Amino acid sequence: MPDSSIKRCLELCALAHAQSGEDLTYSLTELRHELQMLAHEKSCSALPSSNPDLDSDALTAAPVISMDMAGYITDWNQGAQIMFGYSAKEAIGRHILFLYADIPEDQNNEIHELFLEHGSPLIEVRRRRKSGETFRANLALSHILGDANEAIGMVATLSEIADRLSTEEKQQLHARIIEDSDEGILITDTNELIVSVNSAFSCITGYSAREAIGQTPDLLRSGVHSTDFRAQVHAAMQGAGAWQGEIIGRRKNGELFPQSVSIGIVRNVDGMITHAYSIFSDISVLRATEKRMQEVVNYDSLTGLPNRSLFHQLVEQALATARRNNDHGALLVIDLNRFTSVNDSLGHDVGDELLRQVGQRFRSVLRDEDILARDGGDEFVVALVSIHKREHSGLVAEKLLAALDAPFVIESHALHIGASIGIATYPEDGLDTAALQRFADVAMKRIQANNESGYLFFSSEMNVRAKEQWQLEGELRHALSGQELRLHYQPKVSLRSGRIIGAEALIRWSHPEHGLTMPGEFVPLAEETSLILELGSWVIEEACRQIRVWMDAGLEPIPIAINLSARQFDDQLIDRLRGATERHKIPCELLKLEITESLLVCDSEKVILLMNELAAFGFTLALDDFGTGYSSLAYLKKFPISTLKIDRTFVTGVPGDENDCAIAQAIVTMGKQLRQEIVAEGVETHAQMAFLRDLGCDQLQGYLFSPPVPADVFGTMVREKRRLQLD
Ligand code: C2E
Ligand code: MG
Ligand code: MG
């Protein structure tokens, strides 16, 4: 119907109402509706068909809806009636929005904007039928033009986008998907009775559909959950809101299984709950994998014992309990002695088996509540979580040592192995795992230095040392990577000619805060850690480099002695020394090695072999600080040592102190018998020099001639052929 007619009707009607004085509260919308109906009926009566509802053309006609510019429906054809289910009478006069499936936020703008934005091309929209069903349709809009060509309304032509599936097909498809799902699905009715289950349900729970239907979901109840928890799940099935979580269920065979569950409900058109459903998956495989991963993460694969990380967790928990109960505890660090040689000589398989068996023996002598772990390498740790007295942990250490007494028989080898055990006690030595372990470790290293099996408690004195060591270790590491270390050279002079015939390289640390720091302050600490190896390597390299510099400068070649720590005496020492001498192209004879007696008392067979090898390459060995250790003449004979250095403590007393004189004399006599060169160190006075020379000492090193000096100063002394005044 042309919109101009409606407009005209509206005007007339308004006039009529105004004239009759009837109720003017009659809303304009209602009025508009009435009038539009009137107009529509008129236009319909003009149609050729007598029964529009059955008109076959109209049935197939595309739905066309006309609106005024405000969006009120002005015309509604048969196609629209079929599509939406509303008769023209019901639709005309209402706002077009009543057909929308989704109501736009800004209702006023929508219609017109739609038009402006899209113009005539098709757009896809969602609409709602009278039945409530929503559907998708293509919509084309065009303007209705007035007499003066102005837009006075809009025409919407719709065509439904056919759903690809029929309702029946959809239902079948959904049923198939539910049936084939890997997740178990159970559906209950309002009485909480199971009405449907899928095959995955049967697979997971063991109950067939026949067994489950008619039962309540309690069929799967494990009995492990609290009433509270069950109430939550129950509430979800009653419509309290969707619920997701993990539940332990029970299978038909009684086995418990973890399941991940989602619970939801289904409502009918009136909003009433008709069904509840539960979709669940069996996550026991996942849990098993998680457990396996936990094992990998927490247990040592070789011994099956807890590893370091689990050990820390367990001990922290135990300490928390100990704190509450005011209990005592102890942490033992156990290091196997000479394990490395087993590994090196018999292979890693034997080494691994040894570690396994050691772990088993340790476990067998401990109580169940004691925590035993492997801390990597050949180190084990034990936490005694509740002991009455700290001495009791000593007893446990004894038991652990005794467990190693019997030989380990592996691949026909009977292996004897000992251990060093350090003990730190809680709460005396430390309050947390890390501190206790660190202090037990310090104690262990102490006892290990004696090279025999045993155990040692940590003490406060060790504590102080450990702390210093920590700090120093960091600083020294820094010093090694930077330019803070240097070598000073102390000349050795011949007691026959007074000429410089060698020097000892002594390390100095140019500490950024403390200035020039002497080796006594950091070498012993470096020796307790592996830093001594790096430090030692640096000294070897630097001494060789300096010798080459002097040689290149035309100085007469002078042997330089470097000090070697016992820990440097390993399999790599020869390679390290040879590497450095070759790199700097200096003869091995120019490098002397000063060692101390402590080296001679440990694993002497191995040391002798190494020393012989060193001597074969031309390196000469000097025994430093001689007289302070336990070396006997008979003992010394076994080692290829060419020089004895009489320790300064005996030099200080000569010639006044009779004892010192006697000792110095004995050393010189002994050295002469062994055809060793004798050097007296720390000579400060002429009297000392004269006495020692008369005894038969070959060389002198001491402040009397020169303190240790920087390389350039020493170079000058040699160049100037500086001599010691012997008379
Ligand atoms: P050492 O090898 O016995 O070195 C001799 C020490 O006596 C040096 O102390 C030296 O300065 C000092 N000395 C020399 N003549 C006299 C004297 O007439 N009177 C007095 N009172 N002292 C004298 P320094 O340089 O402090 O070295 C101490 C120790 O540190 C060395 O004893 C050595 O055992 C160790 N050391 C030094 N450098 C190194 C190194 O590069 N590596 C290793 N492993 N140890 C080193
Ligand atoms: Mg020395
Ligand atoms: Mg010395």
Side-chain angles (χ1 to χ4, degrees):
M1 176 175 107
D3 204 66
S4 50
S5 321
I6 293 177
K7 245 165 94 185
R8 180 98 192 93
C9 284
L10 271 169
E11 284 160 20
L12 286 174
C13 191
L15 194 68
H17 273 285
Q19 282 170 355
S20 67
E22 277 176 31
D23 185 7
L24 281 179
T25 54
Y26 197 71
S27 85
L28 197 59
T29 313
E30 283 166 293
L31 184 65
R32 190 197 289 260
H33 184 224
E34 296 246 322
L35 283 169
Q36 285 173 349
M37 278 316 302
L38 192 77
H40 179 74
E41 273 159 24
K42 260 196 245 159
S43 70
C44 282
S45 61
L47 284 172
S49 166
S50 55
N51 186 349
D53 286 336
L54 295 173
D55 188 305
S56 62
D57 283 346
L59 280 174
T60 52
V64 179
I65 303 168
S66 304
M67 292 158 273
D68 63 15
M69 291 302 281
Y72 287 93
I73 298 169
T74 56
D75 202 8
W76 182 264
N77 77 350
Q78 208 61 29
Q81 178 169 340
I82 292 164
M83 178 178 265
F84 288 96
Y86 293 103
S87 66
K89 197 174 173 190
E90 289 168 309
I92 291 176
R94 296 181 73 175
H95 198 279
I96 191 76
L97 278 173
F98 94 102
L99 301 172
Y100 281 36
D102 320 292
I103 303 297
E105 278 174 18
D106 190 343
Q107 301 180 5
N108 293 328
N109 292 340
E110 230 282 319
I111 308 287
H112 210 65
E113 271 175 9
L114 201 64
F115 198 87
L116 291 177
E117 271 175 36
H118 301 283
S120 52
L122 286 182
I123 54 159
E124 196 181 308
V125 294
R126 256 163 48 80
R127 295 294 179 253
R128 190 186 303 279
R129 298 188 222 275
K130 189 177 180 182
S131 65
E133 185 197 354
T134 60
F135 65 98
R136 290 179 297 128
N138 283 322
L139 170 78
L141 275 175
S142 56
H143 271 141
I144 301 167
L145 301 176
D147 301 341
N149 227 14
E150 81 284 30
I152 55 167
M154 291 172 282
V155 176
T157 311
L158 293 118
S159 62
E160 185 166 343
I161 301 170
D163 230 330
R164 283 173 187 81
L165 297 172
S166 69
T167 316
E168 197 184 334
E169 279 171 333
K170 246 192 239 173
Q171 277 174 356
Q172 275 174 2
L173 188 65
H174 292 178
R176 186 81 252 141
I177 293 170
I178 289 176
E179 190 54 22
D180 290 351
S181 163
D182 280 346
E183 294 183 298
I185 297 174
L186 82 83
I187 302 170
T188 53
D189 62 12
T190 43
N191 297 320
E192 290 182 33
L193 296 177
I194 301 173
V195 292
S196 174
V197 295
N198 67 350
S199 353
F201 170 95
S202 302
C203 274
I204 298 171
T205 65
Y207 291 106
S208 67
R210 203 135 50 92
E211 288 167 320
I213 290 172
Q215 305 273 352
T216 69
D218 275 353
L219 184 68
L220 307 177
R221 202 168 124 184
S222 63
V224 301
H225 294 294
S226 66
T227 340
D228 224 34
F229 182 85
R230 284 192 5 248
Q232 275 179 39
V233 176
H234 195 245
M237 298 194 87
Q238 301 281 308
W243 186 92
Q244 265 192 326
E246 282 180 19
I247 301 182
I248 303 291
R250 186 186 293 276
R251 300 188 218 270
K252 188 179 171 187
N253 64 9
E255 188 188 27
L256 298 184
F257 70 102
Q259 46 173 319
S260 165
V261 187
S262 307
I263 291 172
I265 44 134
V266 184
R267 291 178 195 270
N268 64 13
V269 274
D270 303 323
M272 304 292 286
I273 297 173
T274 58
H275 296 92
Y277 60 88
S278 151
I279 304 176
F280 62 95
S281 48
D282 180 352
I283 50 172
S284 45
V285 177
L286 196 75
R287 286 281 168 276
T289 316
E290 272 176 12
K291 191 166 166 252
R292 182 77 203 103
M293 277 169 66
Q294 282 298 315
E295 277 171 10
V296 171
V297 172
N298 288 322
Y299 291 86
D300 168 45
S301 58
L302 187 65
T303 59
L305 295 172
N307 63 13
R308 181 180 304 168
S309 100
L310 180 59
F311 180 76
H312 272 249
Q313 281 174 41
L314 295 174
V315 178
E316 280 303 316
Q317 283 165 14
L319 286 180
T321 318
R323 238 166 259 141
R324 273 198 304 278
N325 304 343
N326 284 329
D327 273 345
H328 293 265
L331 201 148
L332 288 70
V333 169
I334 312 162
D335 196 277
L336 302 182
N337 298 341
R338 301 199 190 96
F339 173 75
T340 329
S341 59
V342 171
N343 236 356
D344 290 349
S345 53
L346 301 176
H348 288 271
D349 287 348
V350 174
D352 286 353
E353 182 54 27
L354 180 61
L355 288 173
R356 254 192 295 272
Q357 293 194 16
V358 166
Q360 282 164 7
R361 287 205 196 168
F362 283 164
R363 191 62 266 178
S364 70
V365 296
L366 292 167
R367 289 184 302 188
D368 285 348
E369 62 267 34
D370 301 335
I371 306 163
L372 168 69
R374 178 165 170 239
D375 199 32
D378 60 347
E379 205 162 289
F380 291 84
V381 267
V382 172
L384 308 173
V385 289
S386 179
I387 48 169
H388 297 300
K389 279 185 163 180
R390 99 187 219 146
E391 298 80 67
H392 291 182
S393 49
L395 293 177
V396 177
E398 297 266 16
K399 276 206 288 182
L400 291 166
L401 290 171
L404 301 178
D405 282 350
F408 291 86
V409 182
I410 300 166
E411 290 181 9
S412 76
H413 303 282
L415 303 171
H416 289 270
I417 193 135
S420 307
I421 304 180
I423 310 171
T425 54
Y426 168 87
E428 294 89 344
D429 295 333
L431 295 176
D432 61 64
T433 322
L436 288 169
Q437 187 159 0
R438 202 162 65 233
F439 298 145
D441 211 52
V442 172
M444 183 276 285
K445 294 244 163 66
R446 274 265 170 108
I447 185 87
Q448 201 176 40
N450 295 348
N451 241 302
E452 51 191 46
S453 287
Y455 69 91
L456 194 72
F457 281 97
F458 178 74
S459 71
S460 54
E461 174 240 343
M462 286 179 177
N463 196 355
V464 173
R465 274 177 63 85
K467 274 190 195 151
E468 280 175 4
Q469 183 175 334
W470 262 64
Q471 193 182 347
L472 200 92
E473 202 184 312
E475 290 177 355
L476 199 55
R477 244 175 239 291
H478 183 253
L480 274 163
S481 56
Q483 303 283 309
E484 295 174 20
L485 297 179
R486 54 212 50 178
L487 288 181
H488 280 190
Y489 297 86
Q490 186 173 35
K492 293 177 185 172
V493 291
S494 158
L495 280 171
R496 275 181 284 277
S497 63
R499 288 183 56 194
I500 299 173
I501 52 165
E504 177 176 7
L506 294 155
I507 195 163
R508 301 290 180 261
W509 180 2
S510 179
H511 194 284
E513 282 166 42
H514 308 137
L516 198 67
T517 307
M518 297 312 232
E521 291 181 51
F522 59 92
V523 169
L525 288 164
E527 275 173 339
E528 285 181 26
T529 67
S530 58
L531 273 178
I532 193 65
L533 297 176
E534 285 175 61
L535 189 140
S537 300
W538 180 85
V539 171
I540 295 170
E541 194 67 27
E542 173 60 14
C544 292
R545 189 196 64 81
Q546 186 59 57
I547 296 171
R548 166 62 24 208
V549 170
W550 283 323
M551 283 170 76
D552 289 348
L555 236 62
E556 63 173 296
I558 287 182
I560 300 294
I562 58 168
N563 292 281
L564 285 184
S565 148
R567 284 197 58 185
Q568 282 173 269
F569 246 77
D570 57 18
D571 299 335
Q572 280 112 57
L573 179 66
I574 295 190
D575 288 345
R576 246 179 252 139
L577 288 165
R578 295 207 59 209
T581 50
E582 277 167 19
R583 239 187 324 280
H584 297 285
K585 299 191 178 58
I586 58 163
C588 299
E589 289 70 25
L590 289 187
L591 205 59
K592 280 189 171 252
L593 310 172
E594 294 195 5
I595 53 165
T596 51
E597 284 168 280
S598 62
L599 179 69
L600 309 185
V601 290
C602 50
D603 209 354
S604 57
E605 297 308 314
K606 205 175 162 200
V607 170
I608 291 172
L609 270 175
L610 241 169
M611 284 183 174
N612 283 332
E613 231 181 305
L614 285 168
F617 281 116
F619 297 104
T620 46
L621 289 158
L623 193 56
D624 207 351
D625 307 338
F626 190 71
T628 54
Y630 309 97
S631 313
S632 67
L633 182 63
Y635 204 70
L636 271 185
K637 270 204 288 197
K638 300 202 287 179
F639 299 92
I641 289 166
S642 60
T643 307
L644 284 186
K645 293 185 81 178
I646 305 176
D647 192 67
R648 192 165 64 83
T649 45
F650 309 112
V651 171
T652 322
V654 298
D657 187 293
E658 265 182 42
N659 274 342
D660 283 354
C661 290
I663 291 170
Q665 179 147 29
I667 293 174
V668 176
T669 314
M670 188 168 82
K672 290 279 161 212
Q673 279 178 4
L674 292 171
R675 295 181 208 288
Q676 281 164 337
E677 191 181 43
I678 317 243
V679 181
E681 45 178 14
V683 181
E684 295 183 356
T685 67
H686 254 98
Q688 288 168 345
M689 183 270 286
F691 179 84
L692 293 160
R693 185 192 53 197
D694 294 346
L695 269 188
C697 277
D698 302 293
Q699 292 171 29
L700 166 156
Q701 181 184 346
Y703 294 172
L704 177 68
F705 182 67
S706 167
V709 290
D712 53 339
V713 179
F714 178 73
T716 312
M717 286 172 146
V718 176
R719 191 171 297 113
E720 292 175 354
K721 299 196 185 326
R722 228 175 272 178
R723 277 174 181 238
L724 172 68
Q725 205 49 264
L726 292 174
D727 308 309

